[in-house]
Amino acid sequence: MNHPTRWLVQILAYGAFLAPVAYLSHQPVMRLLGENQAMIRIAFSHAGEPISECRQRTQAELDELPPNMRRPTECPRERVPLVLVMRLDGDTLFEASLPPSGFWRDGQTTVSREFEVPAGTHQVEIRMRDSRRESGFDYQLARTIDIRPHDNIVIGFDPNQGGFNFSGSQP
Amino acid sequence: MLKSLFDLLETPFNRAFGPRDNPFHHLGALTIFFFWIVLVTGIWVFIFFDTSVFGAYQSVEYLTREQWYLGGVMRSLHRYASDAAVITLGLHLLREFAHRRFQGPRWYSWITGVPLVWLVFPLGITGYWLVWDQLAQYVAISTAQLMDAVPIFTDSMVRNFLTESALSDRFFTLMAFLHLVGLPIFLVFGIWVHVMRLSGPDINPPKSLMIGGTTALVVLSLFHPATSQGPAILSRVPAEIGLDWFYLHAFALLELIPPGAVWLALISVTVALSAVPWILRRKTSPAIARVDLDNCNGCRRCADDCPFNAISMLPRSDGKPFDLEAVVDPDACVSCGICVGACPTATPFRRHSRLSPGIDLPDRSMVSLRQALDAATARYPGAIVTFACDTAGAGPDAPDAPHIPVPCLADVPPPFVDYAIHRRGAAGVFLLGCANGACRFRLGLQWTEARMRRERDPMLRGRVDLARVGFSWQDGDSAETAYQRLRERLGRAADRDREAAE
């Protein structure tokens, strides 16, 4: 291979190497939402009630325990799963029983879900049961919101602030 | 099949760049070099970077727009060199796999390379995060979703990136620390561990490739500068994202499968890669080099030439009047025979004593090599003798020329070339190495050429005319062309001798 040809092939080789760098560093684009779509996300962590009531230990049980572990009550570590229902304009968008985290099922339940919805005015309703009862809900919130295209509506939860909250919405 | 594909790809590169500068022969070193560019440009970018929620995007925009002639180019180089490193890293991994450089003692370099892949991607991901544009917003949320799927975390990480109020400046400080200090330190340490069993590891590519690679990246940065994708606004979802597919491809998977399945896919690939040396191991391994202390004078040439640091020079154990003796590490020896080729006692001229070098391969001894050479030159008197390494293939189509296989060309001590020409009457010696000049045992061709050109011990004797020795890997030509050149040289020399005689 003579010198000019070698140079030419080298330039072509560098070009061939850079072409994927130039293109794949930002292309092809990924479409996250449709033109008239928006996103509703549920994102929070919350621990349900213990799976059962604490019970009093008998004197015989206490005597069997080492002195430093003689607590009069015995409480279960395991938590109940959270039952979560979300409805949009009367239709159920999400309904699930979400288990607590941890090997002993004694941690918080982490909820992270996202739903693509059309922009516009919607009635959003969310309910949650975190107790041992078999039916009904402990927390709920219903709100009519005006969602613009590409809005990111986040539904959070804070029991100290009264339960569910919305952010990024247009009430 | 993959190896044939690489051989096919490398041939034109060999001709254009030459075997020494063929980028395919320096993929690991090129990856490290691109990371040097990333480091230097990263320092410049960091000088102007503001580690706060509201300042991060603005500071990067300032570099890109106001200081485009330097900061913008630096930023683009930072990104493109990172992407280029992923390409060379991927090719390096594939090529090593194709050449089965994970077998035997080379499992170590393979297995220590796997964590490096795991370190490179978080390094890129944290870098994209710091820009805090719409892509960063997407990366932050997607990463958090992935982390939330790991059962060891009890709180939701994704909540930190869904509202402006949840985001803290300190988080950017943490990310900057990870991107600039934490991960790079682990990466440098990982590279050191990766190459520590190699002798003279190739960590710097040839100058021509450094200059060419840097120039190419600068040209790309000038004509196609890297830009941000609009500031992150957490109350909005970007409609579309220009993804860097080199680093962020796993996030695209999140759009198709749940985070747990993405983890499963990543872990499966990692486990499969890590298991390669054991799944595809050789059924039988060739016997390792054996030291014969009666003939070893502790000269340490074998230790100096071993590409895998498999030979140590230890204090003499047999009472002979030498300081050191060679000791072979069975876990590191790949049976290439390069040490045998370096041994000054491996000379075929001995007739009165047994040919027993200080170090030898039991399965492919110097005695058997001399027997093969004697037989070949007896059958084809005055022909060109070809020494061919095991992976060289059939070589030039020359039915009238003997072809002697060796594990590696550097297993052939230079006195054998002298012996073939001056004692056995061979017209010349053709050294047929691995395809495209890429030695299977790393340094075999380099040492062979240096020994024959009398630049490295043991050297070819001065009485051997180098015009009578041909190398298959020179000038990027094919083995056939190199062989024909040797024939032509020998023909011209014969004509000159004839004319002189007349």
Side-chain angles (χ1 to χ4, degrees):
Chain A
M1 205 179 269
N2 58 32
H3 263 285
T5 315
R6 286 180 69 152
W7 280 103
L8 185 67
V9 176
Q10 284 196 24
I11 290 168
L12 286 175
Y14 281 115
F17 178 67
L18 289 185
V21 172
Y23 183 73
L24 290 174
S25 68
H26 66 289
Q27 292 282 342
V29 295
M30 203 166 73
R31 189 147 196 92
L32 300 180
L33 273 182
E35 277 303 318
N36 201 37
Q37 298 292 107
M39 188 78 84
I40 297 181
R41 296 178 200 266
I42 312 174
F44 63 87
S45 294
H46 175 62
E49 271 188 350
I51 195 95
S52 61
E53 291 277 4
C54 297
R55 72 173 185 85
Q56 291 289 327
R57 286 191 168 112
T58 63
Q59 190 56 49
E61 284 174 327
L62 286 172
D63 291 343
E64 281 178 12
L65 290 170
N68 63 326
M69 294 175 70
R70 287 176 186 165
R71 291 175 64 181
T73 54
E74 183 185 17
C75 298
R77 291 177 62 170
E78 188 177 341
R79 303 276 172 162
V80 296
L82 301 184
V83 176
L84 194 67
V85 178
M86 181 180 162
R87 293 166 70 84
L88 184 77
D89 300 327
D91 298 324
T92 302
L93 207 57
F94 177 68
E95 183 170 7
S97 173
L98 304 162
S101 60
F103 291 118
W104 302 101
R105 299 165 70 87
D106 57 347
Q108 300 193 95
T109 300
T110 291
V111 187
S112 177
R113 294 283 193 286
E114 53 187 42
F115 308 96
E116 212 175 305
V117 297
T121 304
H122 294 286
Q123 171 76 17
V124 181
E125 193 181 348
I126 185 155
R127 297 170 175 179
M128 183 173 74
R129 180 164 71 238
D130 67 348
S131 61
R132 291 187 291 274
R133 67 180 181 175
E134 305 243 322
S135 61
F137 294 92
D138 302 293
Y139 297 93
Q140 53 191 326
L141 182 68
R143 185 177 283 184
T144 302
I145 52 173
D146 185 25
I147 306 179
R148 296 171 304 172
H150 304 156
D151 263 354
N152 184 32
I153 310 294
V154 182
I155 302 176
F157 179 81
D158 184 351
N160 299 322
Q161 304 265 327
F164 288 107
N165 54 65
F166 282 66
S167 62
S169 61
Q170 304 273 305
Chain B
M1 189 182 136
L2 194 58
K3 184 179 175 299
S4 308
L5 189 66
F6 268 104
D7 287 346
L8 199 69
L9 263 175
E10 287 174 35
T11 303
F13 279 80
N14 235 24
R15 291 183 184 152
F17 289 84
R20 281 179 200 276
D21 292 358
N22 187 335
F24 279 98
H25 301 172
H26 304 279
L27 289 167
L30 275 170
T31 308
I32 294 173
F33 174 67
F34 287 134
F35 276 115
W36 279 117
I37 296 182
V38 170
L39 181 71
V40 172
T41 53
I43 289 170
W44 183 267
V45 171
F46 184 65
I47 289 170
F48 296 92
F49 185 70
D50 183 344
T51 52
S52 67
V53 179
F54 298 107
Y57 179 81
Q58 295 304 334
S59 62
V60 177
E61 277 298 280
Y62 165 77
L63 271 177
T64 311
R65 312 273 172 203
E66 304 299 319
Q67 207 196 81
W68 66 266
Y69 50 89
L70 185 59
V73 171
M74 287 294 205
R75 181 199 177 183
S76 303
L77 271 176
H78 192 66
R79 176 188 289 189
Y80 294 142
S82 318
D83 291 338
V86 173
I87 295 182
T88 49
L89 177 69
L91 285 173
H92 176 56
L93 195 151
L94 273 179
R95 192 170 180 275
E96 298 304 290
F97 178 81
H99 285 85
R100 303 181 85 81
R101 289 179 179 158
F102 48 77
Q103 290 183 323
R106 299 178 85 168
W107 68 268
Y108 176 84
S109 295
W110 178 270
I111 204 92
T112 53
V114 176
L116 293 181
V117 180
W118 268 100
L119 280 172
V120 164
F121 289 106
L123 194 58
I125 290 166
T126 50
Y128 274 106
W129 203 317
L130 287 172
V131 180
W132 206 232
D133 60 352
Q134 289 179 3
L135 175 61
Q137 178 182 344
Y138 171 75
V139 167
I141 292 172
S142 301
T143 307
Q145 284 175 333
L146 274 177
M147 299 310 282
D148 282 346
V150 181
I152 57 172
F153 299 114
T154 55
D155 210 351
S156 170
M157 185 175 166
V158 76
R159 286 190 303 155
N160 297 318
F161 307 105
L162 295 181
T163 58
E164 308 284 353
S165 58
L167 205 58
S168 151
D169 288 352
R170 296 289 64 81
F171 189 79
F172 278 80
T173 311
L174 173 68
M175 275 295 141
F177 175 79
L178 271 177
H179 185 67
L180 273 104
V181 184
L183 290 167
I185 283 180
F186 279 107
L187 192 63
V188 170
F189 177 73
I191 292 169
W192 175 69
V193 171
H194 183 52
V195 300
M196 71 189 301
R197 278 203 181 180
L198 303 179
S199 167
D202 181 23
I203 53 173
N204 291 314
K207 266 187 195 154
S208 65
L209 288 182
M210 290 192 207
I211 294 168
T214 310
T215 308
L217 289 173
V218 169
V219 169
L220 178 63
S221 301
L222 285 170
F223 286 95
H224 187 63
T227 53
S228 303
Q229 300 185 28
I233 303 169
L234 298 185
S235 60
R236 309 278 294 164
V237 179
E240 43 179 46
I241 286 294
L243 217 57
D244 182 331
W245 292 87
F246 294 105
Y247 283 94
L248 308 175
H249 48 267
F251 296 132
L253 273 181
L254 266 179
E255 303 296 318
L256 305 171
I257 54 177
V262 173
W263 279 115
L264 189 66
L266 294 174
I267 291 168
S268 303
V269 170
T270 307
V271 170
L273 272 179
S274 306
V276 159
W278 290 274
I279 294 171
L280 301 175
R281 69 173 181 269
R282 276 186 303 230
K283 293 207 167 55
T284 55
S285 298
I288 62 163
R290 195 163 55 201
V291 176
D292 177 6
L293 278 185
D294 287 341
N295 290 288
C296 172
N297 62 9
C299 71
R300 70 169 305 131
R301 287 189 182 109
C302 54
D304 288 346
D305 281 9
C306 176
F308 299 100
N309 284 329
I311 300 174
S312 308
M313 300 306 297
L314 300 181
R316 204 76 195 184
S317 63
D318 59 354
K320 285 221 163 54
F322 304 110
D323 292 336
L324 302 169
E325 67 184 39
V327 177
V328 178
D329 177 357
D331 293 330
C333 177
V334 297
S335 313
C336 60
I338 291 176
C339 52
V340 186
C343 185
T345 60
T347 169
F349 287 100
R350 288 196 269 188
R351 278 297 177 205
H352 300 298
S353 61
R354 195 167 55 92
L355 170 49
S356 178
I359 191 163
D360 206 354
L361 293 178
D363 292 347
R364 305 177 81 167
S365 69
M366 286 293 105
V367 170
S368 62
L369 182 64
R370 186 171 67 182
Q371 283 169 352
L373 181 57
D374 287 346
T377 47
R379 187 170 174 197
Y380 301 101
I384 298 173
V385 172
T386 296
F387 288 107
C389 82
D390 285 343
T391 49
D397 186 19
D400 57 340
H403 188 103
I404 301 171
V406 286
C408 173
L409 277 187
D411 174 52
V412 181
F416 273 74
V417 174
D418 183 14
Y419 179 82
I421 293 171
H422 287 108
R423 178 67 61 86
R424 302 297 303 172
V429 169
F430 186 62
L431 299 167
L432 178 60
C434 297
N436 293 319
C439 177
R440 173 188 170 205
F441 296 115
R442 298 186 59 242
L443 303 174
L445 299 183
Q446 195 178 328
W447 291 166
T448 301
E449 203 169 335
R451 290 171 191 165
M452 300 303 165
R453 294 193 183 287
R454 303 173 187 116
E455 294 161 356
R456 187 181 182 86
D457 272 335
M459 298 177 192
L460 183 63
R461 280 180 72 181
R463 69 173 178 175
V464 180
D465 181 4
L466 264 184
R468 297 175 76 173
V469 182
F471 305 89
S472 69
W473 61 94
Q474 276 185 323
D475 306 322
D477 290 327
S478 65
E480 286 76 10
T481 309
Y483 188 77
Q484 284 312 318
R485 279 196 185 155
L486 174 64
R487 287 186 75 144
E488 285 163 18
R489 281 204 305 273
L490 292 173
R492 282 197 299 273
D495 290 345
R496 275 198 306 273
D497 291 347
R498 209 174 302 120
E499 282 169 19
E502 285 169 4

